[in-house]
Amino acid sequence: MSKHEMREQLAALSFSEKIKILETLRDRSLVLAACGLRKMKDRGRNAFAPKSKIEAKEKV
Amino acid sequence: MKRTLELINQMQADGVIGQYAIGGAVGATFYLEPAATLDIDIFTTLPADQGNSLVSLSPIYEYLQARGCAVKQEHILIGGWPVQFLPPSNNLEREAVAEAIDTTVEGVSTRVMSAEHLMAIALHTGRPKDYIRILQFLEQEGVDRTKLDRVLERHDLTSRWKAFERKYLEGSDE
């Protein structure tokens, strides 16, 4: 099935069915927003460095 | 969503809000493929407040908070959905509420703005995500072009529409 056909199929669903999909998408977005990977971004350049290494660097 | 709409309908029956219509991304989902959104935009008229020309959402918040709904920034959580109540701010939005379409969600009655009004409001709002939505409507042929033209003309959006067409449909920025 092409992407266009899939989109048409989704658009043809009933409003109630679409709302259920919206709720799933919303829940997934909320989980992603709360997940650790996004929080790691706050650590900037040290995002993937072990915590012990960062602490050692900070001491220097 | 069922619980959300039941409570909004009850609020309408109790006279806290007037006629309402779902707009925004959830409204667009009535016509298009579902797209991720975190909240529901409810455009609603408010009963006339005698002697006060300022629009106040306090009665809505008081009513819902008394029924256990929590306020979260500009939203109020109803049945798990953050809901934003938006009194129509111009004639286009007033018309969109008045001419909304009756439908149901899981057996609960509700109203959704017409595709043409959703497009006109998106054009008027003019954020990138609004333009994407307009393009989705066009791509899925989910719009009555004659009706859209009339809505755009009534609300002085024809020139903006032409600029949109030039930029996004004809690929010219001139």
Side-chain angles (χ1 to χ4, degrees):
Chain A
M1 184 191 296
S2 73
K3 204 173 182 179
H4 186 72
E5 284 169 337
M6 196 184 286
R7 292 178 74 178
E8 277 185 348
Q9 253 188 29
L10 282 169
L13 292 172
S14 74
F15 196 33
S16 297
E17 286 170 308
K18 290 181 188 179
I19 292 293
K20 278 182 193 153
I21 296 174
L22 275 192
E23 286 173 335
T24 307
L25 291 172
R26 179 204 56 186
D27 293 345
R28 192 181 298 169
S29 297
L30 291 173
V31 168
L32 283 173
C35 85
L37 275 176
R38 185 165 288 210
K39 284 179 184 160
M40 281 172 77
K41 200 178 154 195
D42 300 337
R43 287 163 61 187
R45 290 171 57 189
N46 294 322
F48 297 100
K51 206 177 171 188
S52 55
K53 212 170 180 180
I54 297 168
E55 284 167 355
K57 265 190 184 175
E58 281 168 356
K59 277 179 192 168
V60 177
Chain B
M1 181 75 87
K2 188 180 179 188
R3 175 79 193 119
T4 311
L5 295 174
E6 280 173 345
L7 197 44
I8 292 170
N9 288 345
Q10 189 57 51
M11 189 161 57
Q12 186 184 26
D14 290 340
V16 180
I17 58 169
Q19 207 171 31
Y20 80 87
I22 302 173
V26 177
T29 294
F30 183 72
Y31 306 94
L32 306 173
E33 64 185 285
T37 184
L38 295 175
D39 64 353
I40 310 174
D41 292 336
I42 299 287
F43 289 77
T44 181
T45 56
L46 300 169
D49 187 358
Q50 289 135 0
N52 191 352
S53 57
L54 284 176
V55 171
S56 171
L57 296 176
S58 299
I60 295 176
Y61 280 63
E62 284 163 16
Y63 181 95
L64 292 169
Q65 283 180 297
R67 284 155 184 79
C69 300
V71 175
K72 198 178 170 192
Q73 294 163 344
E74 72 270 32
H75 298 101
I76 186 149
L77 284 170
I78 312 175
W81 274 94
V83 179
Q84 189 168 18
F85 289 94
L86 303 157
S89 61
N90 52 43
N91 285 338
L92 170 61
E93 290 175 3
R94 269 184 281 279
E95 185 182 275
V97 172
E99 295 183 11
I101 292 158
D102 292 318
T103 185
T104 58
V105 174
E106 293 176 70
V108 181
S109 301
T110 190
R111 300 175 78 244
V112 177
M113 287 180 177
S114 74
E116 295 75 21
H117 283 104
L118 286 167
M119 286 179 75
I121 291 171
L123 184 71
H124 184 257
T125 309
R127 297 163 299 182
K129 68 175 182 177
D130 296 305
Y131 291 150
I132 290 169
R133 195 171 297 151
I134 295 172
L135 292 169
Q136 283 177 320
F137 269 110
L138 294 173
E139 191 186 350
Q140 294 193 11
E141 295 165 3
V143 66
D144 177 340
R145 289 302 295 264
T146 310
K147 187 179 171 187
L148 175 66
D149 288 343
R150 285 194 196 128
V151 172
L152 295 173
E153 204 178 312
R154 264 201 304 278
H155 300 285
D156 295 325
L157 289 167
T158 306
S159 60
R160 202 184 286 201
W161 177 258
K162 283 185 177 150
F164 174 86
E165 277 187 322
R166 278 196 300 275
K167 188 168 183 181
Y168 296 101
L169 304 178
E170 295 161 15
S172 160
D173 220 352
E174 300 302 311

